[in-house]
Amino acid sequence: MEADAYADEVGPSAGRPLNLRQIEVFRAIMMAGSISGAGRMLHVSQPAVSRVLALTESRLGYRLFERVKSRLSPTAEARRLYAEVEQVYGGIERVNDLAASLGQSGAGMLKIVASASFGQRLIPMALDRFRGRNADARVDYRSVTFDELAAYFLSGKADIGISMQPPDHPNLTSVRLARVPVICVMPKNHPLASHQVVHPEDFASAAWIGYPQDTPLGHALKPFFGAGPRCAAAVEVHSPVTACSFVQQGLGPALVDAWCVTPDQAAHMVLRPILPEASVEIWATHSNLSAPPLLARRFLAAVKKTLEAAALPTQADVA
């Protein structure tokens, strides 16, 4: 039997817990891809890294890396272990962020998640207002789908969320902020551009851009289409932001919420009201396991003021 075959057999030391140094060295090797690279990351010698790795594999009773032509190739066990280690290090980073922010008044990290539609105008406008009073605050903004929203709060990756629908979870609290009209946007040369108002029957033959029924816009358009559109959408997307981009490429008209249309986009498209009217709601969400942090409360106030002050195209004035 080869001298290093111990790593493929469960020895008397297998199953003993790893210490933090061994976990740190394992992570460095995974990230650097080599013993020498890990040594440079940790500012220690290559033999020191090799010794820790050998002890780690001895404790575990199985190999973490295969030695192939002087290079290391992680085993399946190493890849699974690395995924868990990265979660631990993510938690450490969050602890460090919190420790730093607690010592700074009005500073720290604000973690925002929002539907892509609101990331076009509402979130940037609210952030501009928010940073006027919180210049030292840092912001981690992520555009997420509705299905992903709850997971970000439950994993500690979000302080405040802005979406079209409130997530249904007992540990989350949501409040409705506003109702926004749905409008029709289309290429400037589209036949529907001659209509002052767009009706459901206008989609009976034209190729148009729609949404799956289980998306927020899909739900919002049920009152408009009633039993359903007479002609299925030629292209289905999951975000009104994507729909606007497709409209600009001439792929047809789309029904979107007014907040997702930027002034630059409006200059290159035709906007029309729809009848029967349809609308989407804007909801703010936070965890109810603890009070929202100060920065989250300040940002929510900025969102409310932005909604009150904003001039959006409405059903009455789009045409």
Side-chain angles (χ1 to χ4, degrees), residues 18-50:
L18 302 181
N19 59 42
L20 292 178
R21 182 58 173 172
Q22 290 169 327
I23 293 174
E24 181 183 37
V25 168
F26 165 70
R27 179 174 182 263
I29 297 173
M30 288 291 291
M31 295 178 67
S34 68
I35 296 290
S36 57
R40 287 190 295 271
M41 285 181 60
L42 299 175
H43 305 289
V44 298
S45 66
Q46 182 174 335
V49 174
S50 297

PDB file of all heavy atoms in Angstrom, residues 18-50:
ATOM      1  N   LEU A  18     -12.184  19.856  13.182  1.00  0.00           N
ATOM      2  CA  LEU A  18     -11.141  20.717  12.659  1.00  0.00           C
ATOM      3  C   LEU A  18     -11.098  22.009  13.468  1.00  0.00           C
ATOM      4  O   LEU A  18     -12.127  22.508  13.925  1.00  0.00           O
ATOM      5  CB  LEU A  18     -11.408  21.051  11.189  1.00  0.00           C
ATOM      6  CG  LEU A  18     -11.526  19.867  10.227  1.00  0.00           C
ATOM      7  CD1 LEU A  18     -11.770  20.365   8.817  1.00  0.00           C
ATOM      8  CD2 LEU A  18     -10.282  18.987  10.286  1.00  0.00           C
ATOM      9  N   ASN A  19      -9.905  22.564  13.621  1.00  0.00           N
ATOM     10  CA  ASN A  19      -9.809  23.855  14.290  1.00  0.00           C
ATOM     11  C   ASN A  19      -9.873  24.971  13.247  1.00  0.00           C
ATOM     12  O   ASN A  19      -9.843  24.733  12.029  1.00  0.00           O
ATOM     13  CB  ASN A  19      -8.544  23.949  15.148  1.00  0.00           C
ATOM     14  CG  ASN A  19      -7.268  23.751  14.335  1.00  0.00           C
ATOM     15  OD1 ASN A  19      -7.147  24.269  13.228  1.00  0.00           O
ATOM     16  ND2 ASN A  19      -6.323  22.994  14.878  1.00  0.00           N
ATOM     17  N   LEU A  20      -9.950  26.214  13.721  1.00  0.00           N
ATOM     18  CA  LEU A  20     -10.133  27.344  12.823  1.00  0.00           C
ATOM     19  C   LEU A  20      -8.950  27.512  11.881  1.00  0.00           C
ATOM     20  O   LEU A  20      -9.122  27.916  10.728  1.00  0.00           O
ATOM     21  CB  LEU A  20     -10.338  28.623  13.644  1.00  0.00           C
ATOM     22  CG  LEU A  20     -11.654  28.700  14.434  1.00  0.00           C
ATOM     23  CD1 LEU A  20     -11.705  29.992  15.245  1.00  0.00           C
ATOM     24  CD2 LEU A  20     -12.845  28.629  13.491  1.00  0.00           C
ATOM     25  N   ARG A  21      -7.734  27.207  12.345  1.00  0.00           N
ATOM     26  CA  ARG A  21      -6.562  27.341  11.490  1.00  0.00           C
ATOM     27  C   ARG A  21      -6.634  26.365  10.323  1.00  0.00           C
ATOM     28  O   ARG A  21      -6.304  26.709   9.184  1.00  0.00           O
ATOM     29  CB  ARG A  21      -5.286  27.104  12.305  1.00  0.00           C
ATOM     30  CG  ARG A  21      -3.994  27.277  11.503  1.00  0.00           C
ATOM     31  CD  ARG A  21      -3.911  28.664  10.903  1.00  0.00           C
ATOM     32  NE  ARG A  21      -2.626  28.926  10.274  1.00  0.00           N
ATOM     33  CZ  ARG A  21      -2.355  30.005   9.553  1.00  0.00           C
ATOM     34  NH1 ARG A  21      -3.302  30.916   9.367  1.00  0.00           N
ATOM     35  NH2 ARG A  21      -1.154  30.181   9.017  1.00  0.00           N
ATOM     36  N   GLN A  22      -7.051  25.139  10.601  1.00  0.00           N
ATOM     37  CA  GLN A  22      -7.156  24.151   9.528  1.00  0.00           C
ATOM     38  C   GLN A  22      -8.222  24.564   8.510  1.00  0.00           C
ATOM     39  O   GLN A  22      -8.040  24.404   7.295  1.00  0.00           O
ATOM     40  CB  GLN A  22      -7.487  22.784  10.134  1.00  0.00           C
ATOM     41  CG  GLN A  22      -6.327  22.184  10.920  1.00  0.00           C
ATOM     42  CD  GLN A  22      -6.749  20.979  11.724  1.00  0.00           C
ATOM     43  OE1 GLN A  22      -7.884  20.901  12.204  1.00  0.00           O
ATOM     44  NE2 GLN A  22      -5.829  20.046  11.898  1.00  0.00           N
ATOM     45  N   ILE A  23      -9.316  25.117   8.987  1.00  0.00           N
ATOM     46  CA  ILE A  23     -10.369  25.583   8.080  1.00  0.00           C
ATOM     47  C   ILE A  23      -9.856  26.753   7.240  1.00  0.00           C
ATOM     48  O   ILE A  23     -10.108  26.828   6.032  1.00  0.00           O
ATOM     49  CB  ILE A  23     -11.622  25.994   8.883  1.00  0.00           C
ATOM     50  CG1 ILE A  23     -12.239  24.759   9.546  1.00  0.00           C
ATOM     51  CG2 ILE A  23     -12.639  26.690   7.982  1.00  0.00           C
ATOM     52  CD1 ILE A  23     -13.390  25.070  10.488  1.00  0.00           C
ATOM     53  N   GLU A  24      -9.103  27.649   7.865  1.00  0.00           N
ATOM     54  CA  GLU A  24      -8.545  28.796   7.162  1.00  0.00           C
ATOM     55  C   GLU A  24      -7.575  28.350   6.069  1.00  0.00           C
ATOM     56  O   GLU A  24      -7.611  28.870   4.937  1.00  0.00           O
ATOM     57  CB  GLU A  24      -7.831  29.711   8.158  1.00  0.00           C
ATOM     58  CG  GLU A  24      -7.233  30.969   7.530  1.00  0.00           C
ATOM     59  CD  GLU A  24      -6.480  31.812   8.540  1.00  0.00           C
ATOM     60  OE1 GLU A  24      -5.826  31.224   9.435  1.00  0.00           O
ATOM     61  OE2 GLU A  24      -6.545  33.049   8.431  1.00  0.00           O
ATOM     62  N   VAL A  25      -6.722  27.388   6.381  1.00  0.00           N
ATOM     63  CA  VAL A  25      -5.767  26.895   5.395  1.00  0.00           C
ATOM     64  C   VAL A  25      -6.491  26.181   4.256  1.00  0.00           C
ATOM     65  O   VAL A  25      -6.165  26.375   3.074  1.00  0.00           O
ATOM     66  CB  VAL A  25      -4.739  25.961   6.066  1.00  0.00           C
ATOM     67  CG1 VAL A  25      -3.925  25.204   5.015  1.00  0.00           C
ATOM     68  CG2 VAL A  25      -3.818  26.764   6.973  1.00  0.00           C
ATOM     69  N   PHE A  26      -7.485  25.358   4.585  1.00  0.00           N
ATOM     70  CA  PHE A  26      -8.263  24.666   3.547  1.00  0.00           C
ATOM     71  C   PHE A  26      -8.913  25.669   2.606  1.00  0.00           C
ATOM     72  O   PHE A  26      -8.856  25.527   1.377  1.00  0.00           O
ATOM     73  CB  PHE A  26      -9.321  23.780   4.206  1.00  0.00           C
ATOM     74  CG  PHE A  26     -10.388  23.324   3.258  1.00  0.00           C
ATOM     75  CD1 PHE A  26     -10.117  22.402   2.264  1.00  0.00           C
ATOM     76  CD2 PHE A  26     -11.685  23.834   3.362  1.00  0.00           C
ATOM     77  CE1 PHE A  26     -11.105  21.980   1.376  1.00  0.00           C
ATOM     78  CE2 PHE A  26     -12.672  23.415   2.486  1.00  0.00           C
ATOM     79  CZ  PHE A  26     -12.387  22.493   1.498  1.00  0.00           C
ATOM     80  N   ARG A  27      -9.518  26.701   3.153  1.00  0.00           N
ATOM     81  CA  ARG A  27     -10.179  27.718   2.319  1.00  0.00           C
ATOM     82  C   ARG A  27      -9.161  28.427   1.429  1.00  0.00           C
ATOM     83  O   ARG A  27      -9.433  28.678   0.243  1.00  0.00           O
ATOM     84  CB  ARG A  27     -10.895  28.734   3.204  1.00  0.00           C
ATOM     85  CG  ARG A  27     -11.600  29.857   2.448  1.00  0.00           C
ATOM     86  CD  ARG A  27     -12.392  30.717   3.402  1.00  0.00           C
ATOM     87  NE  ARG A  27     -13.117  31.767   2.710  1.00  0.00           N
ATOM     88  CZ  ARG A  27     -12.708  33.018   2.567  1.00  0.00           C
ATOM     89  NH1 ARG A  27     -11.534  33.382   3.102  1.00  0.00           N
ATOM     90  NH2 ARG A  27     -13.438  33.916   1.932  1.00  0.00           N
ATOM     91  N   ALA A  28      -8.000  28.747   1.965  1.00  0.00           N
ATOM     92  CA  ALA A  28      -6.984  29.439   1.179  1.00  0.00           C
ATOM     93  C   ALA A  28      -6.508  28.580   0.012  1.00  0.00           C
ATOM     94  O   ALA A  28      -6.300  29.078  -1.100  1.00  0.00           O
ATOM     95  CB  ALA A  28      -5.807  29.822   2.078  1.00  0.00           C
ATOM     96  N   ILE A  29      -6.350  27.275   0.246  1.00  0.00           N
ATOM     97  CA  ILE A  29      -5.926  26.381  -0.835  1.00  0.00           C
ATOM     98  C   ILE A  29      -6.994  26.310  -1.918  1.00  0.00           C
ATOM     99  O   ILE A  29      -6.703  26.342  -3.121  1.00  0.00           O
ATOM    100  CB  ILE A  29      -5.606  24.977  -0.286  1.00  0.00           C
ATOM    101  CG1 ILE A  29      -4.423  25.034   0.695  1.00  0.00           C
ATOM    102  CG2 ILE A  29      -5.286  24.012  -1.432  1.00  0.00           C
ATOM    103  CD1 ILE A  29      -4.166  23.716   1.406  1.00  0.00           C
ATOM    104  N   MET A  30      -8.259  26.234  -1.506  1.00  0.00           N
ATOM    105  CA  MET A  30      -9.355  26.181  -2.477  1.00  0.00           C
ATOM    106  C   MET A  30      -9.387  27.455  -3.313  1.00  0.00           C
ATOM    107  O   MET A  30      -9.590  27.416  -4.532  1.00  0.00           O
ATOM    108  CB  MET A  30     -10.686  25.987  -1.761  1.00  0.00           C
ATOM    109  CG  MET A  30     -10.895  24.605  -1.175  1.00  0.00           C
ATOM    110  SD  MET A  30     -11.109  23.305  -2.436  1.00  0.00           S
ATOM    111  CE  MET A  30     -12.720  23.745  -3.113  1.00  0.00           C
ATOM    112  N   MET A  31      -9.180  28.593  -2.673  1.00  0.00           N
ATOM    113  CA  MET A  31      -9.242  29.864  -3.390  1.00  0.00           C
ATOM    114  C   MET A  31      -8.032  30.070  -4.286  1.00  0.00           C
ATOM    115  O   MET A  31      -8.152  30.575  -5.410  1.00  0.00           O
ATOM    116  CB  MET A  31      -9.363  31.018  -2.391  1.00  0.00           C
ATOM    117  CG  MET A  31     -10.656  31.030  -1.593  1.00  0.00           C
ATOM    118  SD  MET A  31     -10.738  32.366  -0.382  1.00  0.00           S
ATOM    119  CE  MET A  31     -10.793  33.805  -1.468  1.00  0.00           C
ATOM    120  N   ALA A  32      -6.837  29.689  -3.793  1.00  0.00           N
ATOM    121  CA  ALA A  32      -5.609  29.923  -4.559  1.00  0.00           C
ATOM    122  C   ALA A  32      -5.332  28.828  -5.576  1.00  0.00           C
ATOM    123  O   ALA A  32      -4.689  29.077  -6.594  1.00  0.00           O
ATOM    124  CB  ALA A  32      -4.424  30.041  -3.597  1.00  0.00           C
ATOM    125  N   GLY A  33      -5.794  27.622  -5.301  1.00  0.00           N
ATOM    126  CA  GLY A  33      -5.581  26.518  -6.223  1.00  0.00           C
ATOM    127  C   GLY A  33      -4.238  25.838  -6.093  1.00  0.00           C
ATOM    128  O   GLY A  33      -3.921  24.945  -6.873  1.00  0.00           O
ATOM    129  N   SER A  34      -3.441  26.268  -5.105  1.00  0.00           N
ATOM    130  CA  SER A  34      -2.130  25.662  -4.922  1.00  0.00           C
ATOM    131  C   SER A  34      -1.646  25.901  -3.499  1.00  0.00           C
ATOM    132  O   SER A  34      -2.122  26.807  -2.802  1.00  0.00           O
ATOM    133  CB  SER A  34      -1.120  26.235  -5.921  1.00  0.00           C
ATOM    134  OG  SER A  34      -0.859  27.599  -5.628  1.00  0.00           O
ATOM    135  N   ILE A  35      -0.676  25.069  -3.073  1.00  0.00           N
ATOM    136  CA  ILE A  35      -0.072  25.245  -1.746  1.00  0.00           C
ATOM    137  C   ILE A  35       0.686  26.563  -1.672  1.00  0.00           C
ATOM    138  O   ILE A  35       0.581  27.312  -0.694  1.00  0.00           O
ATOM    139  CB  ILE A  35       0.886  24.078  -1.445  1.00  0.00           C
ATOM    140  CG1 ILE A  35       0.114  22.743  -1.357  1.00  0.00           C
ATOM    141  CG2 ILE A  35       1.659  24.331  -0.159  1.00  0.00           C
ATOM    142  CD1 ILE A  35      -0.767  22.619  -0.151  1.00  0.00           C
ATOM    143  N   SER A  36       1.460  26.867  -2.724  1.00  0.00           N
ATOM    144  CA  SER A  36       2.263  28.092  -2.718  1.00  0.00           C
ATOM    145  C   SER A  36       1.364  29.325  -2.705  1.00  0.00           C
ATOM    146  O   SER A  36       1.636  30.304  -1.990  1.00  0.00           O
ATOM    147  CB  SER A  36       3.190  28.126  -3.930  1.00  0.00           C
ATOM    148  OG  SER A  36       2.456  28.018  -5.131  1.00  0.00           O
ATOM    149  N   GLY A  37       0.277  29.285  -3.481  1.00  0.00           N
ATOM    150  CA  GLY A  37      -0.642  30.416  -3.507  1.00  0.00           C
ATOM    151  C   GLY A  37      -1.320  30.628  -2.173  1.00  0.00           C
ATOM    152  O   GLY A  37      -1.506  31.758  -1.726  1.00  0.00           O
ATOM    153  N   ALA A  38      -1.691  29.532  -1.515  1.00  0.00           N
ATOM    154  CA  ALA A  38      -2.297  29.638  -0.194  1.00  0.00           C
ATOM    155  C   ALA A  38      -1.318  30.233   0.806  1.00  0.00           C
ATOM    156  O   ALA A  38      -1.692  31.031   1.671  1.00  0.00           O
ATOM    157  CB  ALA A  38      -2.772  28.264   0.269  1.00  0.00           C
ATOM    158  N   GLY A  39      -0.044  29.839   0.695  1.00  0.00           N
ATOM    159  CA  GLY A  39       0.972  30.390   1.584  1.00  0.00           C
ATOM    160  C   GLY A  39       1.098  31.896   1.438  1.00  0.00           C
ATOM    161  O   GLY A  39       1.230  32.621   2.425  1.00  0.00           O
ATOM    162  N   ARG A  40       1.054  32.369   0.179  1.00  0.00           N
ATOM    163  CA  ARG A  40       1.141  33.819  -0.046  1.00  0.00           C
ATOM    164  C   ARG A  40      -0.081  34.539   0.519  1.00  0.00           C
ATOM    165  O   ARG A  40       0.049  35.631   1.085  1.00  0.00           O
ATOM    166  CB  ARG A  40       1.286  34.103  -1.544  1.00  0.00           C
ATOM    167  CG  ARG A  40       2.667  33.745  -2.108  1.00  0.00           C
ATOM    168  CD  ARG A  40       2.837  34.280  -3.518  1.00  0.00           C
ATOM    169  NE  ARG A  40       1.919  33.649  -4.468  1.00  0.00           N
ATOM    170  CZ  ARG A  40       2.194  32.533  -5.144  1.00  0.00           C
ATOM    171  NH1 ARG A  40       3.362  31.925  -4.967  1.00  0.00           N
ATOM    172  NH2 ARG A  40       1.321  32.031  -5.997  1.00  0.00           N
ATOM    173  N   MET A  41      -1.246  33.932   0.372  1.00  0.00           N
ATOM    174  CA  MET A  41      -2.464  34.552   0.918  1.00  0.00           C
ATOM    175  C   MET A  41      -2.392  34.679   2.431  1.00  0.00           C
ATOM    176  O   MET A  41      -2.832  35.682   3.004  1.00  0.00           O
ATOM    177  CB  MET A  41      -3.702  33.728   0.529  1.00  0.00           C
ATOM    178  CG  MET A  41      -4.142  33.855  -0.905  1.00  0.00           C
ATOM    179  SD  MET A  41      -5.623  32.854  -1.240  1.00  0.00           S
ATOM    180  CE  MET A  41      -6.801  33.586  -0.088  1.00  0.00           C
ATOM    181  N   LEU A  42      -1.843  33.656   3.082  1.00  0.00           N
ATOM    182  CA  LEU A  42      -1.818  33.615   4.547  1.00  0.00           C
ATOM    183  C   LEU A  42      -0.524  34.155   5.135  1.00  0.00           C
ATOM    184  O   LEU A  42      -0.383  34.204   6.356  1.00  0.00           O
ATOM    185  CB  LEU A  42      -2.033  32.169   5.013  1.00  0.00           C
ATOM    186  CG  LEU A  42      -3.366  31.523   4.592  1.00  0.00           C
ATOM    187  CD1 LEU A  42      -3.397  30.059   5.009  1.00  0.00           C
ATOM    188  CD2 LEU A  42      -4.548  32.272   5.188  1.00  0.00           C
ATOM    189  N   HIS A  43       0.418  34.507   4.244  1.00  0.00           N
ATOM    190  CA  HIS A  43       1.721  35.039   4.686  1.00  0.00           C
ATOM    191  C   HIS A  43       2.474  34.026   5.559  1.00  0.00           C
ATOM    192  O   HIS A  43       3.048  34.370   6.589  1.00  0.00           O
ATOM    193  CB  HIS A  43       1.532  36.355   5.452  1.00  0.00           C
ATOM    194  CG  HIS A  43       0.785  37.398   4.686  1.00  0.00           C
ATOM    195  ND1 HIS A  43       1.318  38.049   3.597  1.00  0.00           N
ATOM    196  CD2 HIS A  43      -0.479  37.888   4.841  1.00  0.00           C
ATOM    197  CE1 HIS A  43       0.431  38.912   3.107  1.00  0.00           C
ATOM    198  NE2 HIS A  43      -0.669  38.826   3.856  1.00  0.00           N
ATOM    199  N   VAL A  44       2.445  32.781   5.120  1.00  0.00           N
ATOM    200  CA  VAL A  44       3.202  31.725   5.791  1.00  0.00           C
ATOM    201  C   VAL A  44       3.945  30.933   4.730  1.00  0.00           C
ATOM    202  O   VAL A  44       3.703  31.063   3.528  1.00  0.00           O
ATOM    203  CB  VAL A  44       2.280  30.789   6.609  1.00  0.00           C
ATOM    204  CG1 VAL A  44       1.573  31.558   7.714  1.00  0.00           C
ATOM    205  CG2 VAL A  44       1.265  30.090   5.713  1.00  0.00           C
ATOM    206  N   SER A  45       4.853  30.066   5.169  1.00  0.00           N
ATOM    207  CA  SER A  45       5.662  29.301   4.229  1.00  0.00           C
ATOM    208  C   SER A  45       4.855  28.158   3.618  1.00  0.00           C
ATOM    209  O   SER A  45       3.864  27.689   4.185  1.00  0.00           O
ATOM    210  CB  SER A  45       6.895  28.730   4.935  1.00  0.00           C
ATOM    211  OG  SER A  45       6.506  27.761   5.899  1.00  0.00           O
ATOM    212  N   GLN A  46       5.322  27.711   2.448  1.00  0.00           N
ATOM    213  CA  GLN A  46       4.681  26.585   1.774  1.00  0.00           C
ATOM    214  C   GLN A  46       4.721  25.307   2.610  1.00  0.00           C
ATOM    215  O   GLN A  46       3.707  24.609   2.712  1.00  0.00           O
ATOM    216  CB  GLN A  46       5.342  26.369   0.415  1.00  0.00           C
ATOM    217  CG  GLN A  46       4.720  25.239  -0.404  1.00  0.00           C
ATOM    218  CD  GLN A  46       5.313  25.166  -1.797  1.00  0.00           C
ATOM    219  OE1 GLN A  46       5.821  26.161  -2.315  1.00  0.00           O
ATOM    220  NE2 GLN A  46       5.259  23.995  -2.402  1.00  0.00           N
ATOM    221  N   PRO A  47       5.859  24.967   3.266  1.00  0.00           N
ATOM    222  CA  PRO A  47       5.867  23.760   4.110  1.00  0.00           C
ATOM    223  C   PRO A  47       4.861  23.833   5.255  1.00  0.00           C
ATOM    224  O   PRO A  47       4.267  22.817   5.631  1.00  0.00           O
ATOM    225  CB  PRO A  47       7.310  23.719   4.631  1.00  0.00           C
ATOM    226  CG  PRO A  47       8.106  24.450   3.602  1.00  0.00           C
ATOM    227  CD  PRO A  47       7.208  25.543   3.131  1.00  0.00           C
ATOM    228  N   ALA A  48       4.644  25.042   5.805  1.00  0.00           N
ATOM    229  CA  ALA A  48       3.682  25.175   6.897  1.00  0.00           C
ATOM    230  C   ALA A  48       2.273  24.859   6.417  1.00  0.00           C
ATOM    231  O   ALA A  48       1.496  24.183   7.112  1.00  0.00           O
ATOM    232  CB  ALA A  48       3.741  26.585   7.485  1.00  0.00           C
ATOM    233  N   VAL A  49       1.934  25.319   5.212  1.00  0.00           N
ATOM    234  CA  VAL A  49       0.614  25.014   4.642  1.00  0.00           C
ATOM    235  C   VAL A  49       0.487  23.516   4.390  1.00  0.00           C
ATOM    236  O   VAL A  49      -0.548  22.908   4.679  1.00  0.00           O
ATOM    237  CB  VAL A  49       0.381  25.808   3.344  1.00  0.00           C
ATOM    238  CG1 VAL A  49      -0.932  25.389   2.673  1.00  0.00           C
ATOM    239  CG2 VAL A  49       0.366  27.306   3.625  1.00  0.00           C
ATOM    240  N   SER A  50       1.521  22.902   3.858  1.00  0.00           N
ATOM    241  CA  SER A  50       1.492  21.463   3.586  1.00  0.00           C
ATOM    242  C   SER A  50       1.289  20.657   4.863  1.00  0.00           C
ATOM    243  O   SER A  50       0.536  19.668   4.878  1.00  0.00           O
ATOM    244  CB  SER A  50       2.793  21.033   2.899  1.00  0.00           C
ATOM    245  OG  SER A  50       2.940  21.669   1.644  1.00  0.00           O
TER     246      SER A  50
END
